[in-house]
Structures are given as structure tokens and as C-alpha cells.
Amino acid sequence: MLCYQKDYPRPQFVRKDWTNLNGNWDFGFDDDNKGEAEGWYEGFQTEREICVPFTYETKKSNIHDQEVHHFVWYSRRFQAQKEKLSGNKLFLHFEGSDFLTKVWINGKFAGMHEGGYSRFSFDITNLVKDGENLVTVKAEDHMDPQQPRGKQRWVSENFGCWYVQTTGIWKTVWMEYVPDICLSSVKMTPNLPEGRLELEYTVDCPAALDGRRLEVEAVVSFEGRFITRTITGIGKNPTKVSIDLEAAEAENPWGIRTWTPAAPQLYDISFCTRYDGEVCDEAGSYFGMREIRIDGPNILLNGAPLYQRLILDQGYWEETHLTPPDEDALIEDIDKIHALGYNGLRKHQKTEDERFLYWCDVKGMLVWSEAPAAYIYSDRAVELFTGEWLDIVKQNYNHPSIITWTPINESWGVPQIETSRKQQHFTEGIYHLTKSVDQYRPVIVNDGWEHTVSDIITLHDYEEKGEVLRKRYTEYKDEIMTAEVYHSTSKSAFANGFSYRGQPVMISEFGGIAFDSDKEGWGYGNKVNTKEDFLKRFESITTAIKEIPYVCGYCYTQVTDVQQEVNGLMDIRRNFKVDPEKIKEINEKRVAFWRNELR
């Protein structure tokens, strides 16, 4: 896209004047939590350095200590230019820091943030001086199962499918100069049936308008060809405007360009904010015209039935854990998932680096966006989860590749949801809260089982025999949708008091075949020892699901091995275990009853 800058951390809202603060920082453990009392925020003595954004638990951090340290400190010097602050503000952005983060500039407190997975920022304009400055960060993280943790363990050793904890800064830290009068956010909603792009501007204007005009100009283009322009006067926040693309594209024989996995066509859009006729802010972005909606038992993309071939993607790397090694590693994962014949992925228990979503937009990869789970239900857990999930939805709303929100998985954090009305209310509340921000995308509030209110009914089943899987879901559909238990997990499809309403059905976890003859570890079912046995079982269970007439998609577990799990189609270093062409052929093979649908 025209706005693209390699390594820019926020690729859907791009400005030119920014500084990447990744790299070597001074680092210290503070196991006695004495740093604040001793004034470490003014500078602390240490012989350690850490390579940000990699956490101390990882090899790439240059520390590689997997013990639990609840309090850690970072500091580094950076340059600020006072002349740039005339008419501008300086923001310090953290793409992700786990869990409670406090920040000081030159020994003065800049702010704090609670939550490990969402972006946060501080206005440090009044704290910097011309020339060299000091930023100091304290991160506090506990093995608290009330926190949204995702796949981070909350005990001292790995277990099951939970892995080494992630402490402190784990995504990019960066700065940008932003005009005093600026466009602070744009919410972009494609309205494909009406041929419109709906925009919602929020503008930061500290001074009174005093009769002067504040306006935002949006210019839309496609592959360098001008499409349309609109200028909107800003009278209040937020200000809404609609761009008529249908009229603008009337003379184009192709009409509106739509976004699909096969043809991920994207429009460029630039924003120019003017105050009293003078340009004060410019930002670049892009959007995709696509519609995702539910029609009875079908999921429709741009009005056509969509069969989703998804794979579970936990986003872990051998030497960097949750943090991608670099942008190229994100691109590699997407390309290799495509090479395996999948048209989408379920980003599991993680909010991925936004550059990953950019490349999913560009390359045509469907994404289910999932929240990291807590593992205890309490008022504190509800508060932490709700605030961070709302931030995640708002931050990633504009990405066309995201077609489903999945805030809760397998009753994690709501362990009594089957019978507890209180926990059921929470999931219903999260569903409606998500819909209040995004009325268009489907929402699944308890992926796997014990659904309350969900737009798609998703089931997890790690049966290793295809004939058993096929028989279960073709001969016993009514029993599955109404009975108390649907398979060997002893879980029911619905929580008490809720029932099937004709929604689409997907098998959103299956497979998990363990295959690595040289490594200890686990998967689901019996471990296989040869490539031939792996392919035989993979084809058996995948084909069985495709032969269930009412099931409109699946999600295979998983992309790569992760620490003690050896059930990936690739190992943790991204080496294919079997020929990807053979996996792709199985995934893309049509079955007899399929109609002319987007499968």
C-alpha cells in the first residue's frame, strides 16, 4: 500500500516522523521491589543489557532467564528536538508490555498502563528537553490467573499447552511527533451493499475554533488511480462521513473492487487535516471493501457462501517466544500457511503484532481475532478482561482480514459457565459489548463448547479416526445440538438455558497430530512415527469434516510446534514436517456434495 513503511508499528495509520526505540536498553531485576523507593526511575546501576522488544525469558533478549521475576526495569537514552515541538506533541508508544507498566521521562512520571496485549501511549511533550533524554520503564507481572494471560503459564513450570511466561516489553517501543491539531483516529467501515465507505473521525484540537474552519480531506485511490475525494468540516467529535464509492466507480467496468482471500484488493486512502485553511496533519491508510455476514446456516463473504479452511496459529518462535523475530518472519508464516492450502487462521490466545494483520490484509488471509484468556472468574478478572478486549477490538477494527471476533475460548476464565448464570451473563455482556463497537463481524463468545450467545457454533473435537468423526456429526447432529454431552471431552455444545438457533456450525479445533520422532512432546491422540502415517490420518480426519453437509469450515491444530507441543505441521523453526503440496491437495480437494460455493 502507498502508506507502507517497513517496520512501522501501526500500518493502518501512518505518519512520517517517527523513531524506533527497539534495540539495547539497560535492564535490571528488582526481586525485592525496592526500585521505586530507591529512585531507579532517575537512573539505575546495572551491568545487564536487554534487546528490546524481546523479553528476558528469550534467547534473543541476550539474557535468557526463564525464572519468574515479578519486577523488571528498563532504561535508555533518546534524542528529542525542541524545534520540532513548536506546534507538535511527542508521543511515546508501546505496542505491548506485560502487565503493569510505569514510565518516567528524565525522572518524571509519564503514566502507567495495565494490560499485556493492547497498545498504549503517553504524551511526553512537557517532560523532554532539547538533546539527550532518559526514558525509564518498570514492568510488574505476576503469575496471577485473573490477568488475561493467553498461553502464559501461571506456575513455575510448563504444563499441558501453557508455556513460559512473557514479562515486560514484548512489542515495539517507538516515538512520533504529532501536530497539536491532528486526526487522532479514523474508524473505517465498508458498506458493500450500498457501495459506501463509512468514516468516523476523531480530531484532537486543543484550541477553541473561534469561527475558524477545521476540516479533514480524504483522498481515495486504487493502484495509483484517483477514485474520489471528500472534505468534511469537523464540528464535534466524532464526526461521521460517508464516501460513495459506487458513484465514483460508475465508469469503471469492474465497479467496486472487493477484498477476498483469492483477490485481496485494497484501496489507498490519505487524510489531510486543515485548520483555517492550513495543513496541520497528514496520515496514510488503506481499506478493503468486503462484507462478512451470517445468513441462516451459512457464512457469507461479499454475499457468497464462504468455506473456511483455517489453521490454529499461536504465534510462537523458538528464540523469541511471543515476539516475532522481525517483520519478515510474519510474512514467512503467512506465505507458508497459504502454501499448506489454508485460506485463513485463528490467531490463538494472542493479539499479534499489527504488521501481521497488515500482511494478512495484503496477502488475503482470513483472520479470527481472539482474546488472551484469564483462568479465574472474579470481579477483578472481569474488569481486566473487558477493558483490554475493548481496546483490542477498537485498535484492530479497520483490518479487512479480521472476519470474526473470538473473545472467550473453551470456558477458560468462566469455568462454571455451563450452570452459573453469573458467568453466562458475563459472556452475553462481552458479546453485546463487542457488537456495540462492531455490529457487522460475527462474534463467538465461548469457542469450542458451552455456548451462550454466539453467531457461529464452534465445536472442538480431537478424534483421530475420520470414520468416527464423520459418523458422529452426520448421524447425531440433533443429539449434539440438544444433548448434554457431544463427545469424549464430556462437554455440551450449549450452556444450560441456551439452545441451537440455526447458526452456522464449524469444527474450530481438530487434528493436533503429534509427529516428531526426535523430540519428546505431546499432541492429541496417538503419536505417529512416519510421514505416510501422518498424511493418512490427516487426510482421514480432514476429509471427514468436509463431508459433513452442514459444517461450513474447520480449523486444524496447528501451524507449528510450540515448546512442549509437537503437533504442528511445521516445527518451531518453520520447517515443514511433510510435503506442503500434499497437505494443500488434501485441504483443497472438493467432496461430492459441494455446490458451486467459495470453498
Side-chain angles (χ1 to χ4, degrees):
M1 307 311 299
L2 292 177
C3 65
Y4 172 72
Q5 295 182 35
K6 185 173 175 58
D7 295 324
Y8 191 82
R10 193 186 55 204
Q12 269 209 324
F13 198 67
V14 179
R15 293 190 179 96
K16 294 180 180 179
D17 198 352
W18 70 287
T19 303
N20 194 329
L21 295 181
N22 289 348
N24 288 335
W25 292 52
D26 291 334
F27 180 80
F29 294 122
D30 184 16
D31 292 338
D32 296 326
N33 195 23
K34 62 184 181 181
E36 284 191 70
E38 295 183 356
W40 289 19
Y41 44 82
E42 294 180 339
F44 58 91
Q45 296 297 317
T46 180
E47 296 181 355
R48 286 193 178 97
E49 282 191 339
I50 190 169
C51 184
V52 169
F54 309 111
T55 67
Y56 76 78
E57 294 94 344
T58 69
K59 289 182 181 179
K60 197 72 176 286
S61 71
N62 298 323
I63 296 177
H64 197 211
D65 178 351
Q66 296 187 358
E67 297 298 316
V68 176
H69 299 277
H70 296 304
F71 307 96
V72 297
W73 288 77
Y74 305 77
S75 71
R76 66 158 287 169
R77 304 284 174 174
F78 68 94
Q79 296 292 318
Q81 301 175 42
K82 271 295 186 180
E83 64 269 19
K84 281 191 175 183
L85 292 177
S86 177
N88 290 314
K89 295 170 287 190
L90 181 59
F91 277 92
L92 177 62
H93 301 294
F94 292 78
E95 291 298 298
S97 180
D98 201 349
F99 177 75
L100 174 64
T101 305
K102 296 180 180 179
V103 178
W104 293 263
I105 303 294
N106 299 322
K108 297 180 180 178
F109 188 61
M112 61 180 287
H113 177 266
E114 197 169 44
Y117 291 84
S118 57
R119 177 190 299 123
F120 58 97
S121 305
F122 302 114
D123 182 346
I124 61 172
T125 309
N126 296 325
L127 302 177
V128 297
K129 58 187 178 182
D130 191 43
E132 187 175 80
N133 292 265
L134 176 70
V135 54
T136 308
V137 177
K138 179 188 180 184
E140 178 178 340
D141 196 12
H142 296 277
M143 308 295 264
D144 183 357
Q146 296 178 102
Q147 295 176 191
R149 308 190 61 81
K151 285 305 194 78
Q152 300 179 56
R153 67 193 184 190
W154 57 95
V155 294
S156 59
E157 300 291 336
N158 287 13
F159 67 100
C161 58
W162 287 273
Y163 321 120
V164 176
Q165 73 281 351
T166 295
T167 304
I169 298 169
W170 68 282
K171 290 184 179 180
T172 293
V173 185
W174 58 294
M175 300 187 310
E176 69 171 342
Y177 290 92
V178 178
D180 287 337
I181 300 174
C182 65
L183 185 62
S184 57
S185 68
V186 183
K187 184 177 183 180
M188 296 187 283
T189 304
N191 185 339
L192 189 58
E194 296 183 11
R196 294 180 173 274
L197 177 69
E198 312 292 345
L199 299 174
E200 187 174 300
Y201 297 134
T202 301
V203 177
D204 188 358
C205 183
L209 293 179
D210 298 328
R212 288 176 286 184
R213 182 171 174 81
L214 178 63
E215 63 186 21
V216 176
E217 178 185 47
V219 178
V220 177
S221 62
F222 182 84
E223 295 183 346
R225 177 174 59 88
F226 172 79
I227 302 298
T228 190
R229 169 187 286 109
T230 183
I231 298 176
T232 305
I234 305 298
K236 60 181 180 179
N237 280 327
T239 298
K240 298 181 180 180
V241 61
S242 178
I243 297 179
D244 188 347
L245 289 174
E246 193 165 61
E249 293 275 42
E251 296 182 3
N252 174 18
W254 299 106
I256 292 176
R257 308 292 185 133
T258 58
W259 187 95
T260 68
Q265 300 179 104
L266 296 168
Y267 288 85
D268 290 291
I269 187 168
S270 62
F271 302 103
C272 179
T273 305
R274 296 188 184 91
Y275 183 58
D276 203 20
E278 293 187 9
V279 174
C280 52
D281 186 26
E282 294 179 292
S285 190
Y286 64 91
F287 64 91
M289 292 299 290
R290 65 101 183 90
E291 178 198 44
I292 187 78
R293 65 182 173 91
I294 303 298
D295 181 24
N298 296 310
I299 302 169
L300 305 183
L301 177 65
N302 303 339
L306 172 69
Y307 194 90
Q308 295 180 62
R309 305 185 306 274
L310 310 179
I311 191 164
L312 195 77
D313 177 10
Q314 301 198 71
Y316 272 80
W317 286 265
E318 183 178 34
E319 296 187 348
T320 61
H321 297 190
L322 275 178
T323 307
D326 50 36
E327 187 171 338
D328 290 338
L330 297 170
I331 298 170
E332 178 189 9
D333 275 8
I334 296 168
D335 288 343
K336 287 187 171 179
I337 290 170
H338 270 144
L340 290 162
Y342 294 97
N343 61 8
L345 57 90
R346 181 176 155 215
K347 182 57 73 168
H348 188 44
Q349 290 297 299
K350 179 187 182 185
T351 304
E352 189 56 272
D353 189 304
E354 196 175 342
R355 294 173 298 172
F356 180 81
L357 295 175
Y358 168 81
W359 285 108
C360 287
D361 295 340
V362 169
K363 289 177 173 289
M365 181 68 73
L366 303 170
V367 176
W368 286 21
S369 181
E370 184 174 324
Y375 295 93
I376 284 179
Y377 184 84
S378 67
D379 289 352
R380 171 74 170 155
V382 167
E383 177 185 4
L384 291 174
F385 180 91
T386 302
E388 190 157 16
W389 175 243
L390 190 58
D391 285 344
I392 289 167
V393 171
K394 290 164 68 176
Q395 287 172 11
N396 292 331
Y397 177 91
N398 289 339
H399 288 283
S401 57
I402 295 178
I403 62 165
T404 303
W405 300 114
T406 311
I408 298 172
N409 175 71
E410 288 189 347
S411 305
W412 294 348
V414 282
Q416 282 80 48
I417 188 174
E418 184 173 21
T419 57
S420 168
R421 194 68 190 102
K422 184 177 183 179
Q423 294 184 21
Q424 292 172 2
H425 279 309
F426 170 61
T427 64
E428 292 174 281
I430 290 296
Y431 173 90
H432 290 295
L433 179 67
T434 308
K435 287 290 191 181
S436 73
V437 175
D438 184 352
Q439 63 178 313
Y440 297 106
R441 289 181 176 97
V443 177
I444 303 165
V445 291
N446 194 21
D447 191 79
W449 49 64
E450 296 175 338
H451 289 269
T452 55
V453 52
S454 284
D455 294 320
I456 304 170
I457 302 305
T458 53
L459 305 173
H460 296 176
D461 197 324
Y462 285 99
E463 171 59 51
E464 61 183 280
K465 295 181 179 179
E467 62 271 21
V468 175
L469 202 58
R470 184 187 301 104
K471 182 175 181 179
R472 178 177 295 149
Y473 290 95
T474 54
E475 296 185 16
Y476 300 104
K477 177 186 177 183
D478 291 342
E479 289 82 354
I480 289 169
M481 294 302 171
T482 58
E484 294 182 359
V485 174
Y486 75 84
H487 66 73
S488 58
T489 61
S490 300
K491 296 290 187 179
S492 56
F494 294 91
N496 290 0
F498 296 85
S499 60
Y500 183 55
R501 303 293 184 185
Q503 301 102 310
V505 177
M506 290 183 61
I507 307 298
S508 61
E509 283 188 32
F510 80 109
I513 306 170
F515 175 41
D516 190 330
S517 58
D518 298 324
K519 184 177 179 181
E520 293 297 321
W522 71 274
Y524 295 91
N526 295 304
K527 192 173 183 179
V528 300
N529 296 313
T530 68
K531 293 180 180 180
E532 292 74 20
D533 287 344
F534 182 92
L535 286 168
K536 181 179 179 181
R537 183 159 142 197
F538 180 88
E539 181 171 23
S540 172
I541 57 178
T542 303
T543 301
I545 291 175
K546 290 195 288 187
E547 290 177 342
I548 304 168
Y550 62 90
V551 168
C552 58
Y554 56 80
C555 180
Y556 181 83
T557 302
Q558 63 179 323
V559 176
T560 71
D561 295 348
V562 182
Q563 296 181 20
Q564 69 269 23
E565 287 191 63
V566 293
N567 53 16
L569 294 178
M570 295 183 282
D571 65 24
I572 191 65
R573 296 180 179 178
R574 274 51 180 177
N575 299 308
F576 290 115
K577 295 182 180 181
V578 297
D579 184 351
E581 283 295 326
K582 293 182 179 179
I583 299 294
K584 181 178 181 180
E585 181 181 355
I586 294 168
N587 275 320
E588 295 183 348
K589 185 178 180 180
R590 300 171 68 86
V591 296
F593 74 87
W594 284 3
R595 300 176 296 280
N596 185 26
E597 298 173 351
L598 288 179
R599 295 269 182 179

